[in-house]
Amino acid sequence: MNTELTITPNLLRRVGASGETITSGLCRALRETTFSNRMLIAPRRLDEIGKEQAAAFLGFLEAEDEGAVRERGRQLAFEGLGHRSILMMAEALRRACRESANPGDEALPTLLEAAGRYVNALLEGYMAGREEDILREQERTREAYLRARRRQAGQA
Amino acid sequence: MPEKTIVDASVPNAGRIYDYLLGGHHNFEIDRRAGDQIKELLPFLPKAMRLSRWCLQDVARTLTEERGFRTIIDFASGLPTMDHIHTAVAPGTTIIYSDHDPVTVEYGREILGDTPNVHYFQADCRRPEELLNRSEVVEILGGDRHVAFVYWGVSMYMSDEDIAHVARVLYDWSDEGSCMAFFIAIGNPEVPAFAKMMEIYRQMGEELYFRPLEVFKELVKPWHSDELGYRTVNEWHGIEVEMSEEELEAFGIDYGVYLVK
């Protein structure tokens, strides 16, 4: 069980002020891994995902709702985001947090811990989503084969 | 696509290899092995395929929202996943998907479920008259011949004669103002790795065809391009895709176009 984070209003304000830096870091990471995604995600969608993720992280700092983050990760898997993209995005988030703090900033460990928890929950949801997706597609493929075989046999 | 390989999971299948190279799960070990062999020869190929596939939503929006088509007939559709045409069209648009592979058709129907106005039939893209003459399709269209056709990511499976046939049949069948969105893959069979890939497909019973853009333009006459002309995939996406000199020599630059009657 994770202990509650001590995100002070002051820290929230400061991170909120770095929102654009976080967003641009996430968008850059996603653009760099454009081709690692499944065919479902067109390049123009990447910036939208970057913005959504930045907003979600800021929301997490306030609400600390790891369940919502897991669900977000799950949806990203369904949408077709590749694992390289999500790992790069996680790294970009950590980097943006480090860069948003001043040297020797007392709040930095808390912020990094928050980023770590966010990333863990996101990855956990993502992996669950990938597994769910693969199993669902496996079942669909099996069903489709059976039906096609039956249809062909009926036509023979 | 030869009939013998269609529901046969013991030999590689071009459609399933395509799915594998795009990161899908609708494929088997035998397809993945063939796909890996192809990827090793031409590492850029999966990128080229993605660049093509990513255009589909643009095509769907442009045809319906900007150009007002209420009916889209898509050939060699593959799986109607959530990036496909029906997810991006204006509400009320009728979509007719088709594919030669019966498994893809069954799978596609399951994905679509009871999505309104979206249909999926088995048909050979090289013989569009077969789809257009199906009684179900005739009924769906209800006499409407002002339609948009889509041939996206399939030109490499069509010989010059096939393309000329398709162009002629659809031109004669459709009303004035109809449109055909076409993606043209430009490859260079002179490049050894490219020739080897074509040989792998040939061994699976699948012939691949590539031709210069100028040849394609002749084949599709009297269709002519719209005011946007033939656009490279980079232009479609507004991105710069880095290609090495070898990749450029092998793949050239692919184009998309809206042909109009």
Side-chain angles (χ1 to χ4, degrees), chain A residues 78 129 131-141, chain B residues 107:
Chain A
F78 294 158
E131 192 176 350
E132 221 177 295
D133 206 27
I134 289 169
L135 291 175
R136 185 172 48 228
E137 291 199 17
Q138 220 171 47
E139 190 54 27
R140 272 185 172 159
T141 304
Chain B
Y107 198 133

Side-chain angles (χ1 to χ4, degrees), chain A residues 37 41 44 78 145 151, chain B residues 16 50 54 58 82 106:
Chain A
N37 302 317
I41 299 188
R44 71 181 45 169
F78 294 158
Y145 260 79
R151 200 181 288 266
Chain B
R16 297 194 309 252
R50 280 171 168 77
W54 287 335
D58 269 346
M82 60 186 173
E106 293 295 345

Side-chain angles (χ1 to χ4, degrees), chain B residues 74-231:
Chain B
D74 182 43
F75 291 91
S77 311
L79 297 179
T81 41
M82 60 186 173
D83 66 323
H84 222 309
I85 293 172
H86 68 284
T87 62
V89 291
T93 307
T94 296
I95 312 286
I96 298 175
Y97 286 122
S98 62
D99 202 283
H100 193 34
D101 183 339
V103 178
T104 300
V105 175
E106 293 295 345
Y107 198 133
R109 285 177 175 162
E110 183 163 321
I111 291 174
L112 293 169
D114 51 6
T115 311
N117 306 321
V118 186
H119 312 270
Y120 208 132
F121 298 104
Q122 191 184 348
D124 185 344
C125 68
R126 295 166 296 196
R127 295 288 170 269
E129 61 275 23
E130 291 173 10
L131 178 68
L132 297 172
N133 291 334
R134 280 183 79 119
S135 56
E136 305 99 307
V137 173
V138 170
E139 192 180 327
I140 292 163
L141 295 175
D144 178 15
R145 293 195 175 203
H146 180 256
V147 302
F149 304 107
V150 179
Y151 273 82
W152 211 260
V154 73
S155 69
M156 70 287 275
Y157 301 110
M158 301 169 78
S159 68
D160 287 358
E161 292 73 25
D162 291 332
I163 291 179
H165 173 80
V166 162
R168 195 173 53 249
V169 166
L170 297 182
Y171 194 86
D172 291 344
W173 181 90
S174 60
D175 281 350
E176 205 65 31
S178 290
C179 180
M180 176 157 61
F182 222 115
F183 178 84
I184 309 108
I186 307 287
N188 184 357
E190 304 284 307
V191 172
F194 214 84
K196 178 77 185 144
M197 175 194 70
M198 292 171 74
E199 183 53 35
I200 292 172
Y201 275 89
R202 193 170 296 126
Q203 283 166 11
M204 295 186 296
E206 189 76 47
E207 200 68 43
L208 296 184
Y209 305 91
F210 298 92
R211 75 276 301 163
L213 185 61
E214 293 312 314
V215 172
F216 176 85
K217 288 180 183 176
E218 285 299 315
L219 292 172
V220 292
K221 280 181 179 171
W223 292 91
H224 60 90
S225 66
D226 69 352
E227 67 284 358
L228 295 171
Y230 286 80
R231 286 183 293 160

Side-chain angles (χ1 to χ4, degrees), chain A residues 45-115:
Chain A
R45 171 77 184 113
L46 297 175
D47 279 358
E48 290 169 11
I49 293 177
K51 284 177 196 156
E52 287 164 12
Q53 287 305 312
F57 177 62
L58 296 177
F60 173 74
L61 293 181
E62 280 190 72
E64 295 181 35
D65 183 354
E66 290 183 23
V69 180
R70 273 193 290 274
E71 181 54 26
R72 187 166 282 281
R74 192 166 154 264
Q75 293 304 328
L76 286 175
F78 294 158
E79 201 174 339
L81 201 74
H83 66 271
R84 276 193 61 223
S85 295
I86 201 150
L87 290 173
M88 286 285 284
M89 208 164 63
E91 182 49 37
L93 187 61
R94 290 194 195 96
R95 195 169 46 240
C97 287
R98 277 195 300 273
E99 286 169 4
S100 71
N102 301 319
D105 194 328
E106 283 177 8
L108 183 60
T110 309
L111 189 55
L112 289 178
E113 191 188 342

